[in-house]
Amino acid sequence: MKELVLLSILALCSAKPYMPIRIMDFMKTNEIMLQDAGDDDDDDNNNSLFPTKRARSTPPPFPTCPFGCHCTMKVVQCSDLGLTAVPKDIPADSLMIDLQNNKITEIKENDFKGMNNLYALFLINNKISKIHPKAFRHLNKLQLLYISHNLLTQIPANMPKTILELRIHDNKISKVQKEAFKGMKSLHVLEMSANPLENSGIELGAFDGMSSLFMRIAETKLTAVPKDLPSSLHELHLDYNKIGKVELEDFIRYKDLQRLGLGYNQIKSVENGSLAYIPNIRELHLDNNKLKKVPAGLASLKYLQVVYLHSNNISGVGVNDFCPTGGRVKKSPYSGISLFNNPVKYWDVLPATFRCVSNRMGVQIWNFRKRK
Ligand SMILES: *[C@@H]1O[C@H](CO)[C@@H](O)[C@H](O)[C@H]1NC(C)=O
Ligand SMILES: *[C@@H]1O[C@H](CO)[C@@H](O)[C@H](O)[C@H]1NC(C)=O
Ligand SMILES: *[C@@H]1O[C@H](CO)[C@@H](O)[C@H](O)[C@H]1NC(C)=O
């Protein structure tokens, strides 16, 4: 359940420009946070007239909160303050720290020292180019680390193994070093789009030991499907790259893929047989490429429900391109097929081509129906 929430937040926030995360809204969708935050109530809430525990004469302890920040329920909000460094006096028991949209250039060794309850750290939209290799060493409970829109040139070293979601979109990363994610078995969501990453920049073994479910490497300089990503992936988004073709063994490791995004590349061909390696695929985006025909093998994908092929160079559609023949069964009928903006002579497409579509409205073939 929690993962679903995270994934949906990620999907919402993966747009290119910097979009601030509203921390309080974020908390509301994260029930766990509120529960954790509740236990700092050390007042015994006794309704008696005479307070027994805390004598009137001793004032309540002055809450530590960095100047200008807002601290409530162990959430420290220091966004939009023009800070050039992480404030020194962040309470050590903080659960969430929001440092979005400042001018921080560097994360130093002791910036988050002793904060071993920290659950989420937001460093989005700063000018961070350096993170001390020991900066995160005590963050034994950190699950969300968002460092998108910064100036990092490499994946931070020694990240806590507890991290569930890492967002490092829009930095200057051109290289993913071997074992960059070593031991991070919980890292289920990795968003590293919009970095100047080429296939040759991914060292062999870079993703070893990870069991990610969701990965997005869009808007980079990839020219081929990376072959060395975690084999556990359920979702892989590689849109807005420079991939020129899909080769036979591109997906050989990714047997559990359910959603695959390859839109906005330069794919001219999908080798026959390549899709047979992803038999569980449900959603396939190949729109805005240079395909000349419908990829071979779609009809054998029993669970495929959505396939986007619009804005390609497909000039003909065969009657068996989408649906199985000869008594073979398609377990899930299609709910969406898009073919518009292709040089297809639509009057030549036989209606039986779409015999395994659940609803004829699901087929978008005409150019005037340009909605997704
Ligand atoms: C509340 O106050 C009353 C009397 O002042 C005391 O007897 C009682 O134990 C207190 N309750 C708690 C939960 O501390
Ligand atoms: C793809 O390969 C299969 C199996 O080798 C073959 O039966 C089929 O005709 C091929 N399809 C195309 C479009 O080449
Ligand atoms: C589309 O395919 C035709 C040949 O089938 C080719 O002449 C044309 O250049 C292609 N267009 C694009 C935009 O690739």
Side-chain angles (χ1 to χ4, degrees):
M1 192 61 200
K2 192 170 67 180
E3 255 160 46
L4 279 179
V5 171
L6 291 179
L7 291 180
S8 54
I9 291 168
L10 184 84
L12 284 175
C13 302
S14 60
K16 271 171 275 178
Y18 163 65
M19 294 264 289
I21 292 174
R22 292 208 194 89
I23 298 303
M24 288 331 243
D25 292 350
F26 189 92
M27 279 183 65
K28 279 180 206 141
T29 52
N30 258 285
E31 294 157 36
I32 305 130
M33 282 302 307
L34 291 169
Q35 281 161 16
D36 285 357
D39 69 14
D40 89 316
D41 200 333
D42 56 2
D43 261 295
D44 53 18
N45 204 12
N46 199 334
N47 263 338
S48 93
L49 272 174
F50 307 101
T52 49
K53 221 174 169 183
R54 194 180 279 155
R56 275 267 154 91
S57 52
T58 46
F62 188 74
T64 46
C65 187
F67 187 71
C69 301
H70 183 69
C71 302
T72 170
M73 291 192 293
K74 298 186 183 176
V75 175
V76 180
Q77 290 174 272
C78 305
S79 61
D80 311 276
L81 293 174
L83 299 172
T84 53
V86 175
K88 286 290 158 233
D89 40 1
I90 295 176
D93 63 350
S94 301
L95 293 173
M96 252 198 208
I97 302 176
D98 176 12
L99 289 160
Q100 286 179 85
N101 203 20
N102 281 295
K103 297 190 167 76
I104 299 168
T105 54
E106 184 183 350
I107 302 298
K108 300 195 192 79
E109 179 171 357
N110 294 324
D111 279 352
F112 302 109
K113 193 178 175 184
M115 299 193 190
N116 43 23
N117 283 317
L118 194 61
Y119 168 92
L121 178 56
F122 302 98
L123 293 165
I124 308 154
N125 207 34
N126 277 281
K127 301 192 185 316
I128 301 168
S129 60
K130 246 202 284 187
I131 295 183
H132 191 281
K134 289 183 177 171
F136 298 139
R137 70 194 177 290
H138 296 300
L139 308 183
N140 302 325
K141 291 198 181 147
L142 193 68
Q143 297 202 5
L144 309 181
L145 179 56
Y146 291 9
I147 336 178
S148 295
H149 303 283
N150 275 291
L151 302 170
L152 293 174
T153 55
Q154 58 174 11
I155 305 287
N158 304 316
M159 284 181 287
K161 314 235 180 303
T162 44
I163 294 182
L164 200 70
E165 186 179 330
L166 173 66
R167 286 167 57 178
I168 194 159
H169 173 271
D170 190 9
N171 274 273
K172 306 269 177 244
I173 296 168
S174 58
K175 184 175 152 183
V176 182
Q177 65 276 24
K178 188 176 185 209
E179 299 189 322
F181 303 96
K182 193 176 178 186
M184 298 180 73
K185 289 198 192 312
S186 309
L187 183 57
H188 285 169
V189 176
L190 174 60
E191 158 63 279
M192 52 184 294
S193 300
N195 279 292
L197 185 64
E198 296 176 19
N199 287 79
S200 58
I202 302 178
E203 285 188 5
L204 200 65
F207 299 99
D208 274 7
M210 284 172 80
S211 50
S212 301
L213 302 175
F214 178 108
M215 202 177 269
R216 193 161 182 270
I217 317 180
E219 305 163 61
T220 65
K221 295 180 173 176
L222 295 178
T223 51
V225 174
K227 295 205 178 38
D228 205 24
L229 304 177
S231 57
S232 52
L233 284 177
H234 284 190
E235 252 189 271
L236 176 59
H237 297 267
L238 296 170
D239 8 15
Y240 294 96
N241 280 296
K242 298 179 168 36
I243 299 171
K245 60 186 170 187
V246 172
E247 299 189 295
L248 185 60
E249 301 201 330
D250 276 357
F251 305 122
I252 196 162
R253 275 170 66 78
Y254 314 130
K255 294 190 185 345
D256 295 326
L257 267 193
Q258 295 177 12
R259 303 173 92 191
L260 174 61
L262 286 166
Y264 293 93
N265 277 280
Q266 288 152 24
I267 300 171
K268 286 201 177 74
S269 61
V270 175
E271 198 170 340
N272 187 11
S274 58
L275 298 176
Y277 288 110
I278 43 173
N280 295 309
I281 195 82
R282 280 147 173 79
E283 193 171 333
L284 178 60
H285 293 225
L286 278 163
D287 55 283
N288 292 284
N289 278 290
K290 294 181 173 169
L291 293 172
K292 288 190 174 156
K293 56 182 189 177
V294 175
L298 293 182
S300 310
L301 300 170
K302 293 195 181 94
Y303 304 101
L304 186 64
Q305 288 162 54
V306 173
V307 54
Y308 288 162
L309 293 167
H310 58 268
S311 305
N312 274 284
N313 197 10
I314 299 170
S315 53
V317 176
V319 71
N320 297 323
D321 278 357
F322 293 98
C323 302
T325 50
R328 282 182 303 143
V329 187
K330 180 148 172 51
K331 292 235 168 69
S332 322
Y334 289 100
S335 58
I337 294 178
S338 70
L339 278 164
F340 57 83
N341 203 15
N342 275 294
V344 181
K345 296 190 189 77
Y346 297 102
W347 50 90
D348 282 346
V349 180
L350 298 173
T353 305
F354 305 114
R355 61 190 176 275
C356 58
V357 177
S358 61
N359 176 348
R360 289 185 56 199
M361 296 299 284
V363 181
Q364 301 180 4
I365 180 165
W366 305 106
N367 286 342
F368 60 79
R369 291 179 61 189
K370 253 191 180 172
R371 297 213 275 127
K372 249 206 334 177

Short mmCIF file of all heavy atoms in Angstrom, two decimals, residues 34-64:
data_model
loop_
_atom_site.label_atom_id
_atom_site.label_comp_id
_atom_site.label_asym_id
_atom_site.label_seq_id
_atom_site.Cartn_x
_atom_site.Cartn_y
_atom_site.Cartn_z
N LEU A 34 2.61 10.21 10.37
CA LEU A 34 1.81 10.86 11.40
C LEU A 34 1.79 10.02 12.67
O LEU A 34 1.87 10.54 13.77
CB LEU A 34 0.39 11.11 10.89
CG LEU A 34 0.35 12.18 9.80
CD1 LEU A 34 -1.01 12.21 9.13
CD2 LEU A 34 0.67 13.54 10.38
N GLN A 35 1.73 8.71 12.50
CA GLN A 35 1.76 7.86 13.69
C GLN A 35 3.08 8.02 14.43
O GLN A 35 3.11 8.19 15.64
CB GLN A 35 1.59 6.39 13.29
CG GLN A 35 0.15 6.02 13.01
CD GLN A 35 0.05 4.75 12.19
OE1 GLN A 35 1.01 4.00 12.09
NE2 GLN A 35 -1.11 4.52 11.62
N ASP A 36 4.15 7.97 13.68
CA ASP A 36 5.46 8.13 14.30
C ASP A 36 5.56 9.47 15.00
O ASP A 36 6.08 9.59 16.09
CB ASP A 36 6.57 8.06 13.24
CG ASP A 36 6.79 6.63 12.78
OD1 ASP A 36 6.13 5.75 13.34
OD2 ASP A 36 7.60 6.44 11.86
N ALA A 37 5.02 10.49 14.34
CA ALA A 37 5.15 11.82 14.89
C ALA A 37 4.33 11.99 16.16
O ALA A 37 4.67 12.79 17.01
CB ALA A 37 4.71 12.84 13.84
N GLY A 38 3.25 11.22 16.28
CA GLY A 38 2.36 11.37 17.41
C GLY A 38 2.99 11.04 18.75
O GLY A 38 2.59 11.57 19.77
N ASP A 39 3.99 10.18 18.75
CA ASP A 39 4.49 9.69 20.03
C ASP A 39 5.40 10.67 20.77
O ASP A 39 5.97 10.34 21.77
CB ASP A 39 5.15 8.31 19.85
CG ASP A 39 6.44 8.38 19.07
OD1 ASP A 39 6.98 9.51 18.89
OD2 ASP A 39 6.91 7.34 18.64
N ASP A 40 5.51 11.88 20.26
CA ASP A 40 6.35 12.83 21.00
C ASP A 40 5.53 13.61 22.03
O ASP A 40 6.00 14.53 22.65
CB ASP A 40 7.12 13.74 20.03
CG ASP A 40 6.37 15.00 19.65
OD1 ASP A 40 5.16 14.90 19.35
OD2 ASP A 40 6.98 16.06 19.66
N ASP A 41 4.29 13.17 22.19
CA ASP A 41 3.39 13.83 23.11
C ASP A 41 3.71 13.37 24.54
O ASP A 41 3.21 12.35 25.00
CB ASP A 41 1.97 13.42 22.73
CG ASP A 41 0.96 14.40 23.27
OD1 ASP A 41 1.25 15.05 24.30
OD2 ASP A 41 -0.11 14.50 22.69
N ASP A 42 4.53 14.13 25.25
CA ASP A 42 4.87 13.66 26.60
C ASP A 42 4.05 14.36 27.68
O ASP A 42 4.25 14.17 28.86
CB ASP A 42 6.40 13.75 26.86
CG ASP A 42 6.92 15.15 26.65
OD1 ASP A 42 6.11 16.05 26.33
OD2 ASP A 42 8.11 15.35 26.78
N ASP A 43 3.10 15.16 27.24
CA ASP A 43 2.12 15.70 28.17
C ASP A 43 1.16 14.58 28.55
O ASP A 43 0.76 13.81 27.70
CB ASP A 43 1.31 16.80 27.50
CG ASP A 43 1.85 18.17 27.88
OD1 ASP A 43 1.76 18.50 29.07
OD2 ASP A 43 2.35 18.86 26.98
N ASP A 44 0.77 14.50 29.82
CA ASP A 44 -0.12 13.38 30.13
C ASP A 44 -1.60 13.75 29.91
O ASP A 44 -2.48 12.96 30.13
CB ASP A 44 0.11 12.86 31.55
CG ASP A 44 0.03 13.97 32.58
OD1 ASP A 44 -0.52 15.04 32.27
OD2 ASP A 44 0.51 13.77 33.69
N ASN A 45 -1.80 14.96 29.41
CA ASN A 45 -3.14 15.36 29.01
C ASN A 45 -4.16 15.18 30.13
O ASN A 45 -5.28 14.78 29.93
CB ASN A 45 -3.54 14.54 27.77
CG ASN A 45 -4.61 15.28 26.97
OD1 ASN A 45 -4.86 16.46 27.22
ND2 ASN A 45 -5.24 14.59 26.05
N ASN A 46 -3.73 15.48 31.33
CA ASN A 46 -4.60 15.34 32.49
C ASN A 46 -5.48 16.56 32.63
O ASN A 46 -5.01 17.68 32.62
CB ASN A 46 -3.71 15.17 33.74
CG ASN A 46 -4.49 14.58 34.88
OD1 ASN A 46 -5.70 14.72 34.94
ND2 ASN A 46 -3.78 13.92 35.77
N ASN A 47 -6.75 16.31 32.74
CA ASN A 47 -7.68 17.42 32.77
C ASN A 47 -7.81 18.08 34.14
O ASN A 47 -8.63 18.96 34.31
CB ASN A 47 -9.06 16.92 32.33
CG ASN A 47 -9.26 17.22 30.86
OD1 ASN A 47 -8.61 18.10 30.31
ND2 ASN A 47 -10.14 16.47 30.22
N SER A 48 -7.05 17.62 35.07
CA SER A 48 -7.22 18.16 36.42
C SER A 48 -6.83 19.64 36.47
O SER A 48 -6.05 20.13 35.68
CB SER A 48 -6.37 17.36 37.40
OG SER A 48 -5.13 17.99 37.55
N LEU A 49 -7.38 20.31 37.41
CA LEU A 49 -7.15 21.75 37.53
C LEU A 49 -5.71 22.08 37.84
O LEU A 49 -5.19 23.11 37.45
CB LEU A 49 -8.03 22.31 38.65
CG LEU A 49 -9.43 22.75 38.25
CD1 LEU A 49 -10.21 23.14 39.48
CD2 LEU A 49 -9.35 23.91 37.26
N PHE A 50 -5.08 21.20 38.60
CA PHE A 50 -3.72 21.49 39.04
C PHE A 50 -2.73 20.60 38.31
O PHE A 50 -2.69 19.40 38.55
CB PHE A 50 -3.60 21.28 40.55
CG PHE A 50 -4.65 22.04 41.30
CD1 PHE A 50 -5.79 21.40 41.78
CD2 PHE A 50 -4.50 23.40 41.50
CE1 PHE A 50 -6.75 22.10 42.46
CE2 PHE A 50 -5.49 24.11 42.17
CZ PHE A 50 -6.63 23.46 42.66
N PRO A 51 -1.99 21.20 37.44
CA PRO A 51 -1.02 20.37 36.72
C PRO A 51 -0.03 19.74 37.69
O PRO A 51 0.54 20.43 38.53
CB PRO A 51 -0.33 21.33 35.76
CG PRO A 51 -0.68 22.70 36.23
CD PRO A 51 -1.90 22.61 37.06
N THR A 52 0.11 18.46 37.62
CA THR A 52 0.94 17.76 38.57
C THR A 52 2.37 17.62 38.07
O THR A 52 3.31 17.67 38.83
CB THR A 52 0.39 16.35 38.84
OG1 THR A 52 0.14 15.74 37.58
CG2 THR A 52 -0.88 16.41 39.65
N LYS A 53 2.50 17.42 36.77
CA LYS A 53 3.79 17.02 36.25
C LYS A 53 4.73 18.21 36.05
O LYS A 53 5.90 18.16 36.40
CB LYS A 53 3.60 16.31 34.92
CG LYS A 53 4.51 15.10 34.78
CD LYS A 53 4.19 14.35 33.51
CE LYS A 53 5.25 13.32 33.24
NZ LYS A 53 4.98 12.64 31.99
N ARG A 54 4.20 19.25 35.49
CA ARG A 54 5.06 20.36 35.11
C ARG A 54 4.62 21.58 35.90
O ARG A 54 3.56 22.13 35.68
CB ARG A 54 4.92 20.61 33.62
CG ARG A 54 5.99 21.49 33.06
CD ARG A 54 5.78 21.70 31.58
NE ARG A 54 6.28 20.59 30.79
CZ ARG A 54 5.82 20.27 29.58
NH1 ARG A 54 4.83 20.95 29.06
NH2 ARG A 54 6.35 19.27 28.91
N ALA A 55 5.43 21.95 36.81
CA ALA A 55 5.08 23.09 37.66
C ALA A 55 5.01 24.36 36.82
O ALA A 55 5.72 24.51 35.83
CB ALA A 55 6.11 23.26 38.77
N ARG A 56 4.14 25.26 37.22
CA ARG A 56 3.93 26.51 36.48
C ARG A 56 5.23 27.30 36.32
O ARG A 56 5.45 27.95 35.32
CB ARG A 56 2.92 27.38 37.25
CG ARG A 56 1.48 27.05 36.93
CD ARG A 56 0.97 27.94 35.80
NE ARG A 56 -0.10 27.31 35.06
CZ ARG A 56 -1.38 27.47 35.37
NH1 ARG A 56 -1.73 28.20 36.39
NH2 ARG A 56 -2.29 26.87 34.66
N SER A 57 6.07 27.20 37.34
CA SER A 57 7.26 28.05 37.36
C SER A 57 8.28 27.69 36.28
O SER A 57 9.02 28.57 35.85
CB SER A 57 7.93 27.99 38.73
OG SER A 57 8.13 26.64 39.06
N THR A 58 8.32 26.42 35.86
CA THR A 58 9.28 26.09 34.80
C THR A 58 8.59 26.21 33.44
O THR A 58 7.63 25.51 33.17
CB THR A 58 9.84 24.65 34.94
OG1 THR A 58 8.74 23.79 35.19
CG2 THR A 58 10.85 24.55 36.04
N PRO A 59 9.08 27.14 32.62
CA PRO A 59 8.46 27.31 31.31
C PRO A 59 8.71 26.08 30.43
O PRO A 59 9.69 25.36 30.67
CB PRO A 59 9.16 28.54 30.74
CG PRO A 59 10.48 28.59 31.44
CD PRO A 59 10.28 27.97 32.79
N PRO A 60 7.83 25.84 29.47
CA PRO A 60 8.08 24.71 28.58
C PRO A 60 9.41 24.91 27.88
O PRO A 60 9.79 26.06 27.60
CB PRO A 60 6.91 24.75 27.59
CG PRO A 60 6.32 26.12 27.72
CD PRO A 60 6.64 26.60 29.09
N PRO A 61 10.12 23.82 27.61
CA PRO A 61 11.44 23.98 26.99
C PRO A 61 11.33 24.70 25.66
O PRO A 61 10.40 24.45 24.90
CB PRO A 61 11.93 22.54 26.80
CG PRO A 61 10.71 21.69 26.87
CD PRO A 61 9.74 22.41 27.74
N PHE A 62 12.25 25.60 25.41
CA PHE A 62 12.23 26.34 24.15
C PHE A 62 12.55 25.37 23.02
O PHE A 62 13.57 24.71 23.03
CB PHE A 62 13.27 27.46 24.20
CG PHE A 62 13.19 28.38 23.02
CD1 PHE A 62 12.15 29.31 22.94
CD2 PHE A 62 14.12 28.32 22.00
CE1 PHE A 62 12.07 30.15 21.85
CE2 PHE A 62 14.03 29.16 20.92
CZ PHE A 62 13.00 30.09 20.83
N PRO A 63 11.63 25.24 22.06
CA PRO A 63 11.88 24.24 21.02
C PRO A 63 13.03 24.67 20.12
O PRO A 63 13.10 25.83 19.72
CB PRO A 63 10.56 24.22 20.24
CG PRO A 63 9.93 25.55 20.49
CD PRO A 63 10.42 26.02 21.83
N THR A 64 13.93 23.75 19.85
CA THR A 64 15.00 24.12 18.93
C THR A 64 14.47 23.99 17.51
O THR A 64 13.86 23.01 17.15
CB THR A 64 16.23 23.20 19.07
OG1 THR A 64 15.76 21.87 19.12
CG2 THR A 64 17.06 23.56 20.26
#
